[in-house]
Amino acid sequence: MKTICIMNLKGGVGKTVTAINLAAVLAAQHGKRVLLIDADHQGNTSTFFGADQDGTTLREVLLGEAEPCWPEIVQRTAYENLDILPASMSLAELDAAPKPEYAQCLWRLREFLLAVAEDDAYDFAIIDMPPAFSLSARAALVAADEVIVPIKLDAFSIDGMAELLRQIASMRKVNPGLTLAGVLITMWHNVDVVTQPEAILRSGNVPVFTTVIPHTYVVDKSTHERKPLHIFSPTSGATKGYQRLAAEYLERGRGNG
Protein backbone atom coordinates (compact mmCIF):
# COMPACT_ATOMS: atom_id res chain seq x y z
CA MET A 1 0.00 0.00 0.00
CA LYS A 2 1.28 3.44 -0.93
CA THR A 3 0.49 6.32 1.43
CA ILE A 4 0.37 9.80 -0.14
CA CYS A 5 -0.02 13.12 1.65
CA ILE A 6 -1.64 15.94 -0.34
CA MET A 7 -0.06 18.91 1.39
CA ASN A 8 0.46 22.65 1.21
CA LEU A 9 0.80 25.05 4.14
CA LYS A 10 -1.22 27.63 2.21
CA GLY A 11 -4.98 27.29 1.86
CA GLY A 12 -6.94 27.82 -1.34
CA VAL A 13 -4.55 25.93 -3.63
CA GLY A 14 -6.77 22.94 -4.41
CA LYS A 15 -5.44 20.57 -1.78
CA THR A 16 -8.76 19.02 -0.74
CA VAL A 17 -10.08 18.99 -4.31
CA THR A 18 -6.92 17.14 -5.35
CA ALA A 19 -7.21 14.57 -2.56
CA ILE A 20 -10.87 13.92 -3.38
CA ASN A 21 -10.50 13.67 -7.14
CA LEU A 22 -7.21 11.78 -7.27
CA ALA A 23 -8.74 9.21 -4.91
CA ALA A 24 -11.96 9.07 -6.92
CA VAL A 25 -10.21 8.61 -10.27
CA LEU A 26 -7.86 5.93 -8.94
CA ALA A 27 -10.83 4.04 -7.51
CA ALA A 28 -13.34 4.45 -10.35
CA GLN A 29 -11.17 4.42 -13.44
CA HIS A 30 -8.13 2.37 -12.41
CA GLY A 31 -9.79 -0.12 -10.09
CA LYS A 32 -7.54 0.82 -7.17
CA ARG A 33 -8.73 0.29 -3.62
CA VAL A 34 -8.35 3.65 -1.88
CA LEU A 35 -8.58 4.72 1.74
CA LEU A 36 -9.04 8.48 1.97
CA ILE A 37 -7.94 9.96 5.30
CA ASP A 38 -9.08 13.42 6.38
CA ALA A 39 -6.30 14.93 8.50
CA ASP A 40 -7.71 18.47 8.37
CA HIS A 41 -9.80 19.47 11.39
CA GLN A 42 -12.05 21.49 9.07
CA GLY A 43 -13.32 18.14 7.80
CA ASN A 44 -14.17 19.26 4.28
CA THR A 45 -13.30 15.91 2.73
CA SER A 46 -15.41 14.14 5.35
CA THR A 47 -18.37 16.43 4.68
CA PHE A 48 -17.99 16.00 0.92
CA PHE A 49 -18.48 12.24 1.23
CA GLY A 50 -21.16 12.45 3.89
CA ALA A 51 -19.06 10.70 6.52
CA ASP A 52 -20.19 10.39 10.13
CA GLN A 53 -17.99 12.89 12.00
CA ASP A 54 -19.55 12.15 15.39
CA GLY A 55 -18.24 8.59 15.57
CA THR A 56 -14.69 7.30 15.45
CA THR A 57 -12.46 9.72 13.57
CA LEU A 58 -8.76 10.33 13.04
CA ARG A 59 -8.67 12.02 16.45
CA GLU A 60 -9.53 8.75 18.21
CA VAL A 61 -6.94 6.88 16.15
CA LEU A 62 -4.22 9.36 17.16
CA LEU A 63 -5.25 9.20 20.81
CA GLY A 64 -5.23 5.40 20.81
CA GLU A 65 -8.94 5.35 21.68
CA ALA A 66 -10.13 3.67 18.48
CA GLU A 67 -11.21 0.05 18.24
CA PRO A 68 -8.22 -2.22 17.59
CA CYS A 69 -9.89 -3.69 14.51
CA TRP A 70 -9.43 -1.16 11.69
CA PRO A 71 -12.38 -2.35 9.51
CA GLU A 72 -14.68 -1.15 12.28
CA ILE A 73 -13.18 2.35 12.03
CA VAL A 74 -13.17 3.23 8.34
CA GLN A 75 -16.42 4.19 6.66
CA ARG A 76 -17.75 3.24 3.25
CA THR A 77 -18.51 6.00 0.79
CA ALA A 78 -21.14 5.86 -1.93
CA TYR A 79 -18.37 4.98 -4.40
CA GLU A 80 -16.93 1.54 -5.06
CA ASN A 81 -13.34 0.97 -3.89
CA LEU A 82 -13.32 4.23 -1.92
CA ASP A 83 -13.48 4.32 1.88
CA ILE A 84 -12.79 7.16 4.32
CA LEU A 85 -11.42 7.81 7.80
CA PRO A 86 -13.05 11.15 8.67
CA ALA A 87 -12.02 14.12 10.78
CA SER A 88 -13.87 16.69 12.85
CA MET A 89 -13.09 20.01 14.52
CA SER A 90 -12.05 18.12 17.67
CA LEU A 91 -8.87 17.09 15.85
CA ALA A 92 -7.45 20.58 16.43
CA GLU A 93 -7.53 20.02 20.21
CA LEU A 94 -4.63 17.58 19.93
CA ASP A 95 -2.20 20.38 19.15
CA ALA A 96 -2.39 21.36 22.82
CA ALA A 97 -1.62 17.85 24.08
CA PRO A 98 1.10 17.49 26.74
CA LYS A 99 4.51 16.66 25.30
CA PRO A 100 4.59 12.92 26.22
CA GLU A 101 1.08 12.36 24.84
CA TYR A 102 1.89 14.43 21.75
CA ALA A 103 4.89 12.22 21.01
CA GLN A 104 2.79 9.06 21.29
CA CYS A 105 0.14 10.47 18.97
CA LEU A 106 2.72 11.05 16.25
CA TRP A 107 3.19 7.31 15.70
CA ARG A 108 -0.36 5.99 15.94
CA LEU A 109 -1.45 6.71 12.36
CA ARG A 110 1.63 4.88 11.12
CA GLU A 111 0.72 1.90 13.34
CA PHE A 112 -2.86 2.03 12.08
CA LEU A 113 -1.77 2.04 8.44
CA LEU A 114 0.71 -0.78 9.01
CA ALA A 115 -2.20 -2.88 10.29
CA VAL A 116 -4.25 -1.94 7.22
CA ALA A 117 -1.35 -2.80 4.91
CA GLU A 118 -0.86 -6.20 6.57
CA ASP A 119 -4.42 -7.11 5.57
CA ASP A 120 -3.79 -5.97 1.97
CA ALA A 121 -7.08 -4.07 2.02
CA TYR A 122 -6.07 -1.04 -0.06
CA ASP A 123 -3.67 -0.08 -2.80
CA PHE A 124 -3.48 3.55 -1.68
CA ALA A 125 -4.05 5.65 1.41
CA ILE A 126 -4.47 9.30 0.40
CA ILE A 127 -4.30 11.87 3.18
CA ASP A 128 -5.90 15.29 2.86
CA MET A 129 -3.57 17.43 4.98
CA PRO A 130 -4.31 20.57 6.99
CA PRO A 131 -2.82 23.91 5.87
CA ALA A 132 -0.56 23.90 8.93
CA PHE A 133 2.25 21.85 10.42
CA SER A 134 -0.07 20.53 13.14
CA LEU A 135 0.05 17.27 15.10
CA SER A 136 -2.15 15.52 12.54
CA ALA A 137 0.10 16.76 9.73
CA ARG A 138 3.21 15.50 11.49
CA ALA A 139 1.56 12.15 12.22
CA ALA A 140 0.61 11.83 8.55
CA LEU A 141 4.16 12.58 7.41
CA VAL A 142 5.50 9.98 9.84
CA ALA A 143 3.16 7.46 8.19
CA ALA A 144 3.54 8.52 4.55
CA ASP A 145 5.64 7.32 1.66
CA GLU A 146 5.23 10.41 -0.51
CA VAL A 147 3.97 13.97 -0.66
CA ILE A 148 2.16 15.67 -3.53
CA VAL A 149 2.18 19.47 -3.27
CA PRO A 150 -0.66 21.27 -5.10
CA ILE A 151 0.31 24.84 -5.84
CA LYS A 152 -1.40 27.87 -7.28
CA LEU A 153 1.22 29.96 -9.05
CA ASP A 154 0.87 33.17 -7.10
CA ALA A 155 3.72 34.83 -5.20
CA PHE A 156 2.46 33.80 -1.75
CA SER A 157 2.25 30.12 -2.68
CA ILE A 158 5.65 30.08 -4.32
CA ASP A 159 7.27 31.86 -1.38
CA GLY A 160 5.67 29.41 1.05
CA MET A 161 6.79 26.32 -0.84
CA ALA A 162 10.39 26.69 0.36
CA GLU A 163 9.26 26.44 3.97
CA LEU A 164 7.07 23.44 3.16
CA LEU A 165 10.01 21.64 1.54
CA ARG A 166 12.12 22.36 4.64
CA GLN A 167 9.43 20.87 6.85
CA ILE A 168 9.22 17.76 4.68
CA ALA A 169 13.00 17.41 4.82
CA SER A 170 12.95 17.74 8.61
CA MET A 171 10.45 14.88 8.88
CA ARG A 172 12.93 12.54 7.20
CA LYS A 173 14.73 12.41 10.55
CA VAL A 174 11.89 10.20 11.80
CA ASN A 175 10.68 8.84 8.44
CA PRO A 176 13.75 8.42 6.19
CA GLY A 177 11.67 6.94 3.37
CA LEU A 178 9.52 10.05 2.89
CA THR A 179 9.86 11.50 -0.61
CA LEU A 180 8.39 14.32 -2.68
CA ALA A 181 6.38 12.75 -5.50
CA GLY A 182 6.02 16.14 -7.17
CA VAL A 183 4.48 19.57 -7.28
CA LEU A 184 1.09 19.77 -8.98
CA ILE A 185 0.15 23.07 -10.61
CA THR A 186 -3.52 23.84 -10.00
CA MET A 187 -5.84 26.59 -11.24
CA TRP A 188 -3.67 26.91 -14.34
CA HIS A 189 -4.61 29.27 -17.16
CA ASN A 190 -2.63 30.58 -20.09
CA VAL A 191 -1.59 34.03 -18.92
CA ASP A 192 1.88 35.43 -18.29
CA VAL A 193 1.46 35.67 -14.51
CA VAL A 194 0.98 31.89 -14.49
CA THR A 195 3.15 30.63 -17.34
CA GLN A 196 6.24 32.65 -16.38
CA PRO A 197 6.49 31.31 -12.79
CA GLU A 198 5.60 27.89 -14.16
CA ALA A 199 8.66 27.99 -16.41
CA ILE A 200 10.85 28.99 -13.47
CA LEU A 201 9.41 26.22 -11.30
CA ARG A 202 9.96 23.60 -13.99
CA SER A 203 13.55 24.68 -14.51
CA GLY A 204 14.42 24.14 -10.84
CA ASN A 205 15.44 21.07 -8.87
CA VAL A 206 11.98 20.24 -7.50
CA PRO A 207 10.02 17.50 -9.33
CA VAL A 208 6.93 18.93 -11.04
CA PHE A 209 4.15 16.88 -12.60
CA THR A 210 3.74 17.38 -16.34
CA THR A 211 -0.01 17.46 -15.70
CA VAL A 212 -1.62 20.77 -14.74
CA ILE A 213 -5.15 21.27 -13.44
CA PRO A 214 -6.90 24.03 -15.44
CA HIS A 215 -8.81 26.79 -13.70
CA THR A 216 -12.56 26.27 -14.00
CA TYR A 217 -15.59 27.16 -11.91
CA VAL A 218 -16.83 23.61 -12.46
CA VAL A 219 -14.57 22.65 -9.54
CA ASP A 220 -16.43 24.96 -7.15
CA LYS A 221 -19.79 23.72 -8.43
CA SER A 222 -18.75 20.10 -7.87
CA THR A 223 -17.99 20.81 -4.21
CA HIS A 224 -21.47 22.26 -3.73
CA GLU A 225 -22.99 19.16 -5.32
CA ARG A 226 -20.57 16.92 -3.40
CA LYS A 227 -19.75 14.85 -6.43
CA PRO A 228 -16.29 13.94 -7.76
CA LEU A 229 -15.47 15.77 -10.97
CA HIS A 230 -15.53 12.68 -13.20
CA ILE A 231 -19.18 12.21 -12.24
CA PHE A 232 -20.26 15.85 -11.96
CA SER A 233 -18.67 17.05 -15.20
CA PRO A 234 -17.00 14.24 -17.18
CA THR A 235 -15.75 16.48 -20.01
CA SER A 236 -14.44 19.47 -18.03
CA GLY A 237 -10.78 20.45 -18.22
CA ALA A 238 -10.28 19.86 -14.50
CA THR A 239 -11.76 16.35 -14.78
CA LYS A 240 -9.36 15.51 -17.58
CA GLY A 241 -6.54 17.06 -15.56
CA TYR A 242 -7.10 14.74 -12.60
CA GLN A 243 -7.45 11.78 -14.94
CA ARG A 244 -4.08 12.69 -16.47
CA LEU A 245 -2.58 13.14 -13.01
CA ALA A 246 -3.63 9.65 -11.94
CA ALA A 247 -2.30 8.17 -15.18
CA GLU A 248 0.99 10.07 -14.90
CA TYR A 249 1.45 8.97 -11.31
CA LEU A 250 0.82 5.32 -12.15
CA GLU A 251 3.00 5.47 -15.27
CA ARG A 252 5.91 6.58 -13.10
CA GLY A 253 5.62 3.25 -11.35
CA ARG A 254 4.52 4.84 -8.10
CA GLY A 255 1.50 2.60 -7.79
CA ASN A 256 3.60 -0.21 -6.37
CA GLY A 257 3.24 -0.10 -2.61
Side-chain angles (χ1 to χ4, degrees):
M1 183 178 74
K2 185 79 71 175
T3 300
I4 311 166
C5 290
I6 311 297
M7 185 175 191
N8 195 312
L9 297 178
K10 187 177 185 303
V13 298
K15 174 181 58 62
T16 296
V17 167
T18 295
I20 287 170
N21 286 288
L22 177 59
V25 169
L26 287 171
Q29 300 182 343
H30 294 275
K32 302 298 183 180
R33 301 163 300 166
V34 182
L35 174 60
L36 188 55
I37 299 174
D38 194 346
D40 188 344
H41 67 273
Q42 298 174 92
N44 291 330
T45 294
S46 304
T47 302
F48 184 94
F49 285 104
D52 177 11
Q53 295 171 275
D54 295 321
T56 301
T57 67
L58 179 60
R59 176 183 180 275
E60 285 69 44
V61 171
L62 296 181
L63 286 173
E65 297 176 354
E67 293 290 335
C69 184
W70 69 262
E72 298 176 10
I73 300 171
V74 301
Q75 299 180 27
R76 306 296 181 212
T77 71
Y79 304 97
E80 187 177 1
N81 293 327
L82 183 55
D83 297 340
I84 187 168
L85 175 61
S88 68
M89 287 297 294
S90 64
L91 186 62
E93 298 169 5
L94 298 187
D95 291 321
K99 188 172 289 186
E101 187 175 338
Y102 190 106
Q104 292 174 352
C105 290
L106 285 177
W107 292 93
R108 289 193 175 117
L109 180 57
R110 183 183 181 91
E111 293 166 1
F112 173 84
L113 289 176
L114 285 173
V116 172
E118 285 179 4
D119 288 347
D120 191 29
Y122 300 99
D123 301 298
F124 291 97
I126 295 179
I127 307 177
D128 181 21
M129 299 284 276
F133 206 55
S134 61
L135 189 154
S136 63
R138 291 172 183 267
L141 291 171
V142 168
D145 299 301
E146 297 181 326
V147 180
I148 293 176
V149 180
I151 187 170
K152 178 186 176 187
L153 290 174
D154 59 36
F156 297 129
S157 296
I158 292 171
D159 291 345
M161 192 172 71
E163 176 59 25
L164 173 58
L165 295 178
R166 281 193 291 270
Q167 299 286 8
I168 293 171
S170 73
M171 290 303 297
R172 294 195 183 105
K173 296 174 183 177
V174 292
N175 181 5
L178 183 66
T179 62
L180 176 63
V183 174
L184 172 68
I185 298 170
T186 62
M187 305 181 201
W188 185 92
H189 48 295
N190 191 18
V191 294
D192 288 347
V193 294
V194 172
T195 58
Q196 290 175 0
E198 177 187 5
I200 295 170
L201 182 63
R202 292 190 183 281
S203 66
N205 297 322
V206 177
V208 182
F209 285 98
T210 301
T211 299
V212 299
I213 308 301
H215 179 272
T216 169
Y217 291 109
V218 167
V219 170
D220 294 336
K221 292 178 181 177
S222 73
T223 63
H224 286 290
E225 294 294 325
R226 297 182 184 178
K227 293 180 181 178
L229 280 163
H230 76 275
I231 293 174
F232 179 73
S233 181
T235 61
S236 77
T239 301
K240 294 177 180 178
Y242 282 113
Q243 290 169 339
R244 286 193 294 267
L245 172 65
E248 181 179 352
Y249 183 90
L250 294 173
E251 285 168 5
R252 291 184 180 187
R254 292 185 176 273
N256 302 317

